[in-house]
Amino acid sequence: RYQRRVRGKTQNTHMLSVIPNSVVENMKAILALLVLSFVAFVASKGLNIGVQYRPEKCDKKTKPGDSISVHYTGKLEDGTEFDSSIPRGQPFTFELGRGQVIKGWDQGLVGMCVGEKRKLKIPHELAYGERGSPPKIPPKATLIFETELLEIKKSK
């Protein structure tokens, strides 16, 4: 509690009540931004998204629930390729944000345009975890994916 004198009388009040409303509102806005920034940092857990190419025209961006088709090449940090859809000539299709792929893909492919290319660096926490996916992906492996969005189908 905080005491202040108003017209000769002592009043008990909360310390924030003597701060002008505009300052309090600015403090609230700053606090909200700090909280959101912290949440985004924690949620990302080190996911690195690099846009390699973005088309000039983008009529629609990917969002959770969309069925998307992508070409990809997956590598370990040392450059060892462990998988690619390109030699098979068959893009990979899945529903974004539905847990059908590793978390790094569900997070890293949101907001893409058809034709866009991204390079994702995905820590093990958002990939195959502590155990990896033997024999090609070792325990605690950080994965590098080069991706290209080929198609966005309507969300269900």
Side-chain angles (χ1 to χ4, degrees):
R1 292 226 161 251
Y2 177 75
Q3 290 185 338
R4 69 179 182 169
R5 292 196 54 84
V6 178
R7 296 187 187 127
K9 295 182 181 179
T10 302
Q11 293 180 341
N12 288 325
T13 182
H14 190 275
M15 187 177 269
L16 286 180
S17 67
V18 297
I19 299 173
N21 284 340
S22 61
V23 173
V24 172
E25 292 305 314
N26 285 340
M27 290 170 57
K28 287 180 183 178
I30 290 168
L31 181 61
L33 284 173
L34 287 172
V35 169
L36 288 174
S37 296
F38 178 75
V39 168
F41 173 76
V42 171
S44 71
K45 290 187 182 177
L47 174 64
N48 186 305
I49 302 169
V51 176
Q52 306 299 305
Y53 170 78
R54 179 174 287 143
E56 287 184 30
K57 184 178 179 187
C58 181
D59 296 326
K60 182 179 180 185
K61 293 184 178 185
T62 58
K63 63 184 181 311
D66 286 342
S67 177
I68 65 173
S69 293
V70 296
H71 264 314
Y72 69 92
T73 298
K75 297 179 182 180
L76 302 176
E77 281 188 294
D78 67 5
T80 304
E81 186 176 308
F82 60 85
D83 193 16
S84 179
S85 64
I86 297 169
R88 293 190 293 269
Q90 183 67 38
F92 182 65
T93 301
F94 67 99
E95 282 188 43
L96 188 60
R98 300 288 192 241
Q100 297 175 354
V101 292
I102 60 175
K103 290 178 184 179
W105 271 38
D106 270 344
Q107 294 174 18
L109 300 179
V110 172
M112 282 184 84
C113 302
V114 172
E116 185 172 332
K117 295 180 182 183
R118 288 187 182 178
K119 186 173 187 176
L120 307 176
K121 184 175 182 180
I122 305 173
H124 74 274
E125 297 92 347
L126 300 176
Y128 293 99
E130 301 278 330
R131 294 184 179 182
S133 183
K136 292 187 176 186
I137 301 173
K140 295 186 178 182
T142 294
L143 306 180
I144 311 294
F145 284 95
E146 294 174 5
T147 63
E148 178 182 4
L149 181 64
L150 303 175
E151 182 179 15
I152 303 171
K153 297 176 186 169
K154 288 190 174 209
S155 55
K156 294 180 179 179

